[in-house]
Amino acid sequence: MSAQQRNKNSGRKSDKNAPSVPQVDVSLHKPLDIDAPPTIYSVNLKPLYGTAALNLSADFIKQEQALANKYLFFHPLVIFVLTVGLAVYLGPKIVFPIRNTDSISGWFYKLVRINRKDVLTGVVFAAIGASFLFTLLSRVSDSYFKSKINQLVASKGEKVFGINLNDLVSKNETEDPVVNNTHIIVYRETPIALISVAPNVALSTKENLVMSVTSVGCRRVYVKSGIIEDLIEWALLHSKTVKKNGDYGETMKLLIDVYSFDSTLREILKKKGFTYIQSIRVSENKLLGGLFGVKKELWGLQFHFETEDKD
């Protein structure tokens, strides 16, 4: 779908012997430091935050995996399989009440009371079956999203940030303007959210600048705080700045990929004026994309600018 910008120096080896910048501690399993000042501010991708940026981006992928698991567990196909399995198991064992009752609820009460032992056994059977299915489905999603994390780590973050984070941390790339394409939110001296964008070189023309969001997210506890909306707003403003400073025409578009099961991000994009463009099934995993219909949707927001007098 949306193409990612590739750094011109891709494939370049980082200098492992260069001095490294001390990194901000961003353990995602620890609470924030309550002794740190309760201030919140934003920075671009500095060497100090190299490891934090990589960890946060990987965590965003894990959050998508959690959403995918929830989607798979409650998929109609899974519910149907469990229901049919329970019916097949209980069908031959069930004894129906002979006497009529005055209400449907009364009839079901008698049905359960008569078949109490079999019903309890059926519940256990269903629980075991559900546990087996959920484990199997978790492995399916894990194989897909783990490959995404491996690609991110193998590229040293260059796949997302357009720069080798090893080079950034070792002070070799501090002057690269690409670091300005990443916006990090810091709270209590701990990075909690970020967004990164890049010019989409495959779709951009002299008349139309196309920017793509390569990563966006925050710590899970802040998802409903409105911070994602702020990150999207920054991406819009930054894209306008890139357009203004570059040699582009009157139109600009910001694109972002969204998984079909990520209803939260889709609603945020709708509120920010984005519109759905197209979708494709996940092709890297036939079970996710084929059997369960998981898609990657492309959303975009386009701007038109007045022609400025350049005399």
Side-chain angles (χ1 to χ4, degrees), residues 16-300:
K16 296 182 180 179
N17 297 321
S20 296
V21 176
Q23 296 296 287
V24 171
D25 183 15
V26 68
S27 176
L28 299 174
H29 303 291
K30 294 181 181 179
L32 301 185
D33 184 4
I34 60 174
D35 295 326
T39 56
I40 185 169
Y41 57 92
S42 61
V43 295
N44 62 7
L45 183 57
K46 297 180 179 181
L48 180 68
Y49 301 103
T51 300
L54 187 65
N55 287 351
L56 283 173
S57 295
D59 184 64
F60 302 159
I61 298 175
K62 292 179 181 178
Q63 290 182 36
E64 293 290 355
Q65 181 181 349
L67 292 176
N69 286 340
K70 182 178 179 180
Y71 167 80
L72 294 176
F73 295 165
F74 293 98
H75 192 277
L77 178 61
V78 175
I79 302 299
F80 174 77
V81 169
L82 289 175
T83 302
V84 170
L86 184 61
V88 170
Y89 178 81
L90 289 178
K93 304 175 182 294
I94 290 294
V95 176
F96 294 94
I98 298 177
R99 297 180 180 179
N100 294 328
T101 58
D102 297 332
S103 64
I104 296 178
S105 59
W107 185 85
F108 274 106
Y109 173 75
K110 283 190 175 183
L111 178 68
V112 172
R113 191 176 64 175
I114 295 173
N115 301 277
R116 187 185 325 173
K117 183 178 179 180
D118 291 326
V119 169
L120 290 176
T121 304
V123 170
V124 174
F125 172 82
I128 294 174
S131 178
F132 173 78
L133 280 177
F134 294 166
T135 300
L136 181 63
L137 294 174
S138 295
R139 291 181 178 179
V140 170
S141 66
D142 183 69
S143 65
Y144 173 76
F145 288 100
K146 191 174 182 178
S147 69
K148 297 296 182 182
I149 295 176
N150 290 339
Q151 291 172 18
L152 171 66
V153 174
S155 71
K156 304 297 190 296
E158 193 166 1
K159 183 178 178 65
V160 167
F161 303 105
I163 186 172
N164 187 309
L165 294 180
N166 280 3
D167 293 335
L168 179 71
V169 173
S170 64
K171 302 182 179 179
N172 291 334
E173 301 291 342
T174 53
E175 301 300 325
D176 196 324
V178 76
V179 298
N180 296 320
N181 290 338
T182 298
H183 187 68
I184 303 173
I185 303 298
V186 181
Y187 177 56
R188 290 186 182 273
E189 301 304 323
T190 301
I192 62 171
L194 70 76
I195 187 170
S196 190
V197 299
N200 191 315
V201 295
L203 299 179
S204 294
T205 64
K206 290 184 178 181
E207 295 300 321
N208 181 32
L209 169 65
V210 179
M211 299 286 288
S212 295
V213 175
T214 57
S215 181
V216 61
C218 64
R219 284 194 174 208
R220 193 171 305 177
V221 294
Y222 299 110
V223 169
K224 297 183 180 181
S225 68
I227 198 169
I228 299 295
E229 289 87 337
D230 293 339
L231 293 174
I232 297 295
E233 186 64 30
W234 176 88
L236 294 172
L237 295 175
H238 181 69
S239 297
K240 291 180 181 179
T241 300
V242 173
K243 185 266 175 191
K244 182 178 180 181
N245 295 335
D247 185 19
Y248 298 101
E250 300 178 12
T251 61
M252 184 204 80
K253 183 179 291 184
L254 180 63
L255 302 177
I256 181 172
D257 287 327
V258 185
Y259 285 105
S260 55
F261 52 75
D262 193 346
S263 57
T264 300
L265 183 54
R266 290 163 65 191
E267 288 302 315
I268 290 174
L269 293 177
K270 288 180 182 179
K271 292 178 182 178
K272 302 302 292 187
F274 283 73
T275 56
Y276 167 84
I277 299 176
Q278 66 179 31
S279 64
I280 60 172
R281 290 181 181 269
V282 171
S283 59
E284 299 94 329
N285 189 299
K286 293 183 179 180
L287 285 177
L288 286 178
L291 187 61
F292 294 101
V294 174
K295 300 178 182 179
K296 291 191 74 173
E297 300 177 353
L298 182 65
W299 289 66

